[in-house]
Amino acid sequence: MNEVELRSLTPSVLGILVRRGADFAAAEDAVQDAMVEALRVWPADPPRDPKGWLVTAAWRKFLDATRADTARRRREERVDEEPAPGPASAVDDTLQLYFLCAHPSLTPASAVALTLRAVGGLTTRQIAQAYLVPEATMAQRISRAKRTVSDVRFDKTGDVATVLRVLYLVFNEGYSGDVDLAAEAIRLTRQLAAAIDHPEVAGLLALMLIHHARRTARTAPDGSLVPLAEQDRGRWDTKAIAEGIAILHTALARDRLGEFQAQAAIAALHADAPTAAETDWVQIVEWYDELARLTDSPVVRLNRAVAVGEADGPRAGLAALAELDDSLPRHAAVAAYLHERDGDLATAVRLYAEAADKAPNLPERDHLTRQAARLNARRSR
């Protein structure tokens, strides 16, 4: 069992410990310690029942920590409740844990950060990048969230909006290729859509399906990124796209527009176009206007600048970009693209190189570096 497969067991093991009475923060620490122990022991002595082994090991580590904490000595009576090794329950607690982490005692931002770290398996750095904040700031936020929920009873769950935000960020991290979580996010969102009749749940599921349908075309055989305009649309999963668009149409018909429905509408317009040249950029700009109204997000406005540049020309796109803070992630990459479209190759080369230095992952850095090299070659002819 590799590390990714091992990590997939975390939510179920964590759920079992919480149900047995462990407070969430201590349970999460115990599960993480058990995972480290598994990575050390299993290569030489793999268990017949990995999940049962993790439950037993995590519960023991929880009890050890409880005994060591003089302020919590009342929990020593749980020693006799240690579960015997053997097959563990096959119940999937993951979605329920998402709701538990979105506890009313936490702010939405803290609830999302805690869930991404404890249940989603993302690192503090990945979460910080998603929120556009320093890693140290995010580490403090997660620590505060753990302290807040350490003594609360998990008899109240958070709202759907917070859980949707977590699922969206988990999907985005998985979709980037850094962590294989995209399929898991889709699975959980399907569960949520089956349980809750909510247009934004449907909108998020539609968005995920449409984006995931293009995943195989996003990279070349050598692992390099392939921009949307250059992707082989014959490799797209048309069945998933059709399902996503059908779900979206049903959601939009309810006339309760939310940000995930708006994002799904933009994705659907890209997926509907037979070729990149036939993309309906005018309508995409209109949907970005709706999305900006709903979210007031600088990232949305950055993407809108690209769409404006396609619909009304690169000068219009650069004018829209000028209204944004140039420290925004990927601002330099967008500026480089629009300057290239406008024929200013020297500025585009400089900005592509700058964007490559700031890229959040290696594939993106390599792509931007190749773009700069390509333009340099054109200029030298």
Side-chain angles (χ1 to χ4, degrees):
M1 176 174 286
N2 60 37
E3 186 173 352
V4 172
E5 293 171 327
L6 178 61
R7 185 185 297 158
S8 70
L9 296 174
T10 300
S12 294
V13 176
L14 185 57
I16 290 171
L17 265 64
V18 169
R19 288 203 307 274
R20 289 183 178 274
D23 68 72
F24 188 89
E28 198 234 343
D29 289 341
V31 172
Q32 293 299 323
D33 288 343
M35 299 281 276
V36 172
E37 182 73 5
L39 289 172
R40 185 183 68 83
V41 172
W42 288 9
D45 185 19
R48 286 176 295 181
D49 178 15
K51 183 176 175 182
W53 189 100
L54 282 172
V55 169
T56 301
W59 184 255
R60 286 173 178 163
K61 290 182 180 298
F62 164 71
L63 292 177
D64 288 344
T66 298
R67 295 190 194 100
D69 187 349
T70 57
R72 301 179 187 273
R73 289 197 178 279
R74 65 184 184 276
R75 294 182 182 167
E76 288 186 348
E77 63 191 38
R78 297 177 185 166
V79 171
D80 294 333
E81 298 175 15
E82 178 181 327
S89 169
V91 174
D92 183 356
D93 301 292
T94 308
L95 191 57
Q96 179 64 16
L97 283 171
Y98 273 62
F99 275 95
L100 289 176
C101 285
H103 196 274
S105 64
L106 296 174
T107 65
S110 294
V112 170
L114 177 63
T115 313
L116 290 172
R117 181 70 187 92
V119 188
L122 274 64
T123 66
T124 302
R125 174 173 295 181
Q126 289 167 330
I127 302 168
Q129 289 174 344
Y131 270 91
L132 311 181
V133 299
E135 184 176 354
T137 300
M138 183 54 65
Q140 292 175 353
R141 184 180 300 177
I142 294 171
S143 294
R144 284 195 300 268
K146 287 183 179 180
R147 288 196 299 270
T148 299
V149 302
S150 62
D151 291 316
V152 302
R153 287 178 55 84
F154 281 93
D155 53 358
K156 295 181 180 179
T157 57
D159 64 354
V160 174
T162 301
V163 173
L164 288 179
R165 176 63 49 193
V166 175
L167 288 168
Y168 173 68
L169 291 173
V170 169
F171 176 81
N172 278 349
E173 192 60 46
Y175 191 67
S176 73
D178 292 334
V179 184
D180 188 14
L181 292 170
E184 172 69 358
I186 291 174
R187 184 183 71 84
L188 293 173
T189 307
R190 282 192 186 278
Q191 285 187 10
L192 189 58
I196 299 176
D197 183 17
H198 192 298
E200 273 293 83
V201 177
L204 179 58
L205 179 57
L207 175 65
M208 289 179 174
L209 288 170
I210 295 169
H211 275 315
H212 203 59
R214 304 197 303 251
R215 187 170 188 177
T216 57
R218 292 182 71 244
T219 54
D222 62 0
S224 61
L225 291 180
V226 180
L228 177 61
E230 300 172 17
Q231 288 177 16
D232 178 0
R233 299 183 178 221
R235 297 180 62 195
W236 291 359
D237 184 346
T238 55
K239 183 178 178 181
I241 291 172
E243 181 188 3
I245 291 175
I247 292 171
L248 173 63
H249 285 167
T250 301
L252 291 175
R254 300 178 65 175
D255 199 23
R256 289 169 53 193
L257 184 64
E259 62 173 295
F260 295 122
Q261 294 169 73
Q263 287 192 56
I266 293 168
L269 286 167
H270 282 296
D272 264 345
T275 65
E278 296 173 86
T279 303
D280 189 345
W281 287 106
V282 172
Q283 194 173 167
I284 287 175
V285 171
E286 292 174 356
W287 276 111
Y288 270 122
D289 289 339
E290 288 286 346
L291 189 55
R293 179 182 61 80
L294 290 165
T295 66
D296 195 29
S297 164
V299 175
V300 169
R301 296 187 184 280
L302 183 70
N303 291 331
R304 179 185 177 276
V306 176
V308 169
E310 299 290 351
D312 301 325
R315 296 285 174 90
L318 287 167
L321 188 64
E323 300 174 3
L324 302 175
D325 187 343
D326 61 9
S327 66
L328 192 66
R330 296 186 172 90
H331 185 285
V334 171
Y337 174 73
L338 291 171
H339 277 291
E340 179 186 353
R341 290 275 319 281
D342 196 40
D344 185 355
L345 301 188
T347 300
V349 167
R350 175 178 59 79
L351 288 169
Y352 274 130
E354 178 184 328
D357 288 338
K358 298 177 180 178
N361 54 64
L362 184 59
E364 189 169 333
R365 183 181 309 147
D366 289 345
H367 171 72
L368 292 167
T369 300
R370 282 194 295 271
Q371 296 290 62
R374 174 179 57 81
L375 291 190
N376 264 330
R378 280 179 57 185
R379 292 175 63 206
S380 63
R381 289 173 186 167

